[in-house]
Structure formats: structure tokens, C-alpha cells
């Protein structure tokens, strides 16, 4: 059974930093990439989760959305079962529930795959 457990959310002021972690287990690491997706409050009713950043453990390939490029950095441990999202220079528009999910990374794009999601962690950026 796939398990994805996020941690590290919280409330920060604009310009602040947070580091999210996702511990993954229960699936063959080479089968999926792992990614971060977020659901802003204004899109909660739509159930839309935006792709933020993904990483593929097999070759270290990554994807990062233009909206966070230069501010967010995804990384993974050497075993490929824990990923991190370092978020710097946070803005109010980064406020969202951040989810870790199994994903596919191909052609410079990333999308969730496999239907495996963590419980989510809230990130709030406000003064």
C-alpha cells in the first residue's frame, strides 16, 4: 500500500521560507516520479491541484512550474523515498494546501499518476 506523509507546512510572512518533506513507501521507486501539487483556497471548490514541482529518482529529472521557478527547489534523498520542497521568498499567492503525490514526468511536464496522495499540509503566507 502506497503511503505518502507530508510535513513542514506552517504560517510565514511574505518573503519567508519553509521546507516541506514527503516520506514515500509502498511502491517501486522506479515506477513513478514524486511531486508536489497545491490547492489554493480559491480553487478548493473546483478540486483543482496545480503541479508545483516533481522529481524522478531514476535519473534526477525535475520539473518546476514557472510561477515558482527561482524560488522553490525540489530535491530527494539518495534512496529516492523522501523528497523535499525548499520554498524561499514566499508570496501570499503561494498560500495553499500542498500535497505530495506519485507522478509522471515526461516531455518537460509533470502530472499526478497512480491516484496516490498524501494528506496535505497547509502553507499560509500572510503578514
Amino acid at each position: 500500500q502506497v503511503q505518502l506523509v507530508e510535513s513542514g507546512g506552517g504560517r510565514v510572512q511574505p518573503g519567508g521560507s519553509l521546507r516541506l518533506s514527503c516520506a514515500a513507501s509502498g511502491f517501486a521507486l522506479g515506477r513513478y516520479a514524486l511531486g508536489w501539487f497545491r490547492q489554493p483556497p480559491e480553487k478548493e471548490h473546483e478540486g483543482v491541484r496545480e503541479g508545483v514541482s516533481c522529481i524522478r529518482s531514476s535519473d534526477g529529472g525535475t520539473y518546476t512550474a514557472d510561477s515558482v521557478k527561482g524560488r522553490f527547489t525540489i530535491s530527494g534523498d539518495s534512496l529516492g523515498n523522501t523528497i523535499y520542497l525548499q520554498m524561499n521568498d514566499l508570496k501570499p499567492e503561494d498560500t495553499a494546501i500542498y500535497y505530495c503525490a506519485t507522478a509522471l514526468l515526461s516531455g518537460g511536464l509533470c502530472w499526478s499518476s497512480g491516484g496516490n496522495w498524501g494528506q496535505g499540509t497547509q502553507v499560509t503566507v500572510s503578514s
Side-chain angles (χ1 to χ4, degrees):
Q1 183 177 357
V2 177
Q3 284 194 314
L4 301 168
V5 181
E6 305 104 332
S7 62
R11 186 184 186 99
V12 295
Q13 293 185 341
S17 297
L18 284 172
R19 189 190 196 207
L20 306 183
S21 299
C22 172
S25 62
F27 66 100
L29 294 173
R31 182 175 182 184
Y32 293 112
L34 288 172
W36 291 100
F37 299 80
R38 67 185 181 184
Q39 187 173 64
E42 66 272 18
K43 294 189 178 180
E44 186 174 348
H45 70 286
E46 299 176 19
V48 173
R49 297 178 181 180
E50 309 168 335
V52 177
S53 193
C54 299
I55 187 167
R56 183 172 54 223
S57 63
S58 58
D59 63 359
T62 62
Y63 159 85
T64 301
D66 287 343
S67 59
V68 303
K69 200 166 290 184
R71 301 187 296 121
F72 291 11
T73 303
I74 193 168
S75 61
D77 68 1
S78 59
L79 297 176
N81 56 11
T82 302
I83 64 169
Y84 308 94
L85 186 68
Q86 179 65 44
M87 305 186 295
N88 297 329
D89 190 23
L90 282 159
K91 305 177 185 299
E93 53 263 40
D94 295 318
T95 295
I97 301 173
Y98 284 70
Y99 296 90
C100 178
T102 51
L104 290 177
L105 176 58
S106 179
L109 297 175
C110 178
W111 60 97
S112 63
S113 180
N116 304 302
W117 295 87
Q119 81 283 358
T121 185
Q122 177 70 47
V123 172
T124 301
V125 185
S126 174
S127 56

